[in-house]
Amino acid sequence: MIDQMNFLFVGVGGQGVLTASDIAAQVGLDLGLDAKKSEVHGFAQRGGVVESHIRWAPSVGSPTCEYGTVDVLMSFELLEAARWLDWLRPGGTVIVNRQQITPMSASVGNAVYPPEEEILAALRTRAGRVIVVDALPLAEQAGNSRTVNTIMLAALSTLLDTDPAVWETAILQRVPDKYNEVNRVAFRLGQEAARA
Amino acid sequence: MTKILLSGNEAIALGAWEAGVQYASAYPGTPSTEILENFARYPGIRAEWASNEKVALDNVIGASFGGARVLATMKHVGVNVAADSLMSLSYTGVRGGLVLVSADDPGAFSSQNEQDNRQYARFGKFPCIEPADSEEARRFVGIALEVSEGFETPVILRSTTRLSHSKSAVEARVPEKREFQPLPPFNREGGANRVIIPAVARRRHPEIEQRLRDVAAWAETTAFEIGLNSIFWGDGQLGIVTTGIAYQYAREIFPNASILKLGMSYPLPLQAIRDFAAQVKTLIVVEELDPFIEEQLKVAGIAVAHGKDCFPLCGELTLEKVRQGALKAGLLDVEAPEELPEETGMQLDVPSRPPALCPGCPHRAFFYNMARQKRKAIIAGDIGCYSMGVLEPFKAMDMLISMGASIGMAHGFKQAGGQEGVVATIGDSTFFHSGLSPLAAAVYNKAQITVAILDNRITAMTGQQHHPGTGITLQGAQGHDIDIAPVVKAMGVTFVEEVNAWDVKAVGTALKAALAHEDGPAVIIVRGACVFTPHFHLQPRMRVDPDKCVACHACLRVGCPAILKSEVLYEKNNRAKTMIDPLLCTGCTVCMQVCPTQAIERESE
């Protein structure tokens, strides 16, 4: 049974990172642990970097993880996984959505969005395990592109020594009733993708 | 016992409601904004957005004198705006409990400075209370109100970004009956302290010095009994004095240390700290930003082995910074939790994601024009999303200092003798916050400036709060909306033009006419609703016709995140043609208006 975990969820504004981190913190409480989560939201504008820390322990002190000690880095966007990689504990797990959202420094400026294989290779230099999920097409397959965060949480639920039903319940409690079915489907698809 | 996760801000709102706060007033400001948004949803209370922080504080002062328990919330720099009243409020004292929440921003995540507002408590001679998690935030609001009423003093409840925006577990009891005994009705007799004329101020000063000593005595005794101040005994080697969120870092990095945790960081229980120090071999202070506690301990002759010599003065504390400090102080011997591998994967060059105006943003056409005028005009900016005018590709802002400063700075810059035109840019909410009085001075002194009021119909940057220009109240009622143009005209401005924010040419024409105006300040009101408001109309999206695009990149100069470089090169200049991301485009047409070859068109056409 898990008694302590440090998660870092990252992505781009509008991807549902903060909702997913709320759910992950709730799962910690549901498992009988203490949980805290922390993110900084200042500028309301779209498209910025989003980071959210989630910690589970018998008693959590700091709401943010310590640099270099994150057990699971879950990135909702490919490039962001590389940006936050050094927060990962060496040998930790990366779950990364293949979706690419081009930053303005690359779309307008002269910066280059590195190719997928280079990013994945970089992730593997530090992570013990890298799981790539193609969450956007799966979400569309489930019936709603906004279920990307459910797909990602489902993938995460398969990797931890926790009952996936706890995760599914926490997700369904968080979303409006009319979206329960689409999220159930998305949860199955996310689990299958992570096991594949 | 069921627990739920609440942010520090949600917990402050809940605690305020449970403790019987009847009236609250605030001006939005990160990281404080969500406190009042949450409080406003509870039954049986009144909650309002004021036009600025001083108005918010003045509102709750009046309500406190009237006998209500009250709350004012604001970001740290907002307290500067309210400080005039705050300093004298300390002298008048309060009647109903009055708590001012100051949400500080160590790390300056969304602020212009990192000021440590605990200093206001010492400066103004009133208590400061600092919670360390959401459960404490909820509980300490009630304690703060009791201290306020018991000692007839204002109390600062200090939060920080990390506390306000982190979620931690609180006990999920159904909000119980509100614990509030109404005060007797207002009585004009005995109100001599409330009119703070010089004779009263001179009489009151020694009384507030005594009040501070009384609160300090309370901090030595009752504050420990009710768990506001606490001691957690570990081994006798290391003792830590800490407060607020810094406590959380300290207890993780030093699991065996004895900790004296101050829920009230001013005034200090110096005798309790002296006794604590006597029980430990080494005493250190772990606190964020200023050496506020450390210096007071040193002045009191308490030996502090380490404080700001090891833990950083600037920026937000983190676990790793406290660990580094502990290593520097020789209090830890391990280098890091685990050795880092040599290859960390960061050979990769990761492009940044700089902030940008949203697709469809009503500020875009204005800054596109401003960027073209910037050789002829100096631009004084203000606080809001439009601060991003300083960024690429516009780089159209020369000075920015505080809320409402643009108009006064613009006039002053012109007085220094410069020949350039000077443009002040200020948002609608900021104009009502602190733009009216500098405009009055500008009209009065016949300032030769242009004032561009960027009216996006909302307080946008803090997450869409209403203000006097929209007329919708915090609790969702229809108030009265103030139209800016007639106000400006009534103040005596002789050039007032309203212009559609997405009409590039019209904005440019208005700007040029305003800069040429010579009879006092010229005002242009650039009107267009923020994309996050219901008033913003999403239109059919735009596309780039690759056959017409000549890769001149004029459209990239509008700085829209929806416009990308495509992989197709234009053969004559070998540059990338542009394309529009259909998921991001709002169809605002600004890019279409600046395209010299008419390559951009609506998709439906």
Side-chain angles (χ1 to χ4, degrees), chain A residues 131-153:
Chain A
I131 287 151
V132 183
V133 181
D134 210 356
L136 189 57
L138 288 175
E140 281 161 359
Q141 190 187 331
N144 188 330
S145 62
R146 296 185 63 181
T147 58
V148 161
N149 50 14
T150 297
I151 305 267
M152 296 298 287
L153 288 170

Side-chain angles (χ1 to χ4, degrees), chain B residues 311-323:
Chain B
F311 304 104
L313 178 65
C314 307
E316 191 192 25
L317 283 186
T318 58
L319 284 172
E320 55 273 16
K321 284 186 196 167
V322 175
R323 187 183 298 283

Side-chain angles (χ1 to χ4, degrees), chain A residues 37 55 60 66 80 105, chain B residues 167 251-252 323 352-353:
Chain A
K37 65 154 269 182
R55 305 188 73 205
V60 180
E66 186 169 358
E80 293 310 307
S105 57
Chain B
K167 289 191 177 180
R251 77 173 170 115
E252 273 199 48
R323 187 183 298 283
S352 64
R353 276 186 208 279

Side-chain angles (χ1 to χ4, degrees), chain B residues 422-440:
Chain B
V422 184
V423 180
T425 64
I426 184 167
D428 45 343
S429 188
T430 309
F431 181 68
F432 287 113
H433 177 283
S434 47
L436 286 158
S437 33
L439 184 60

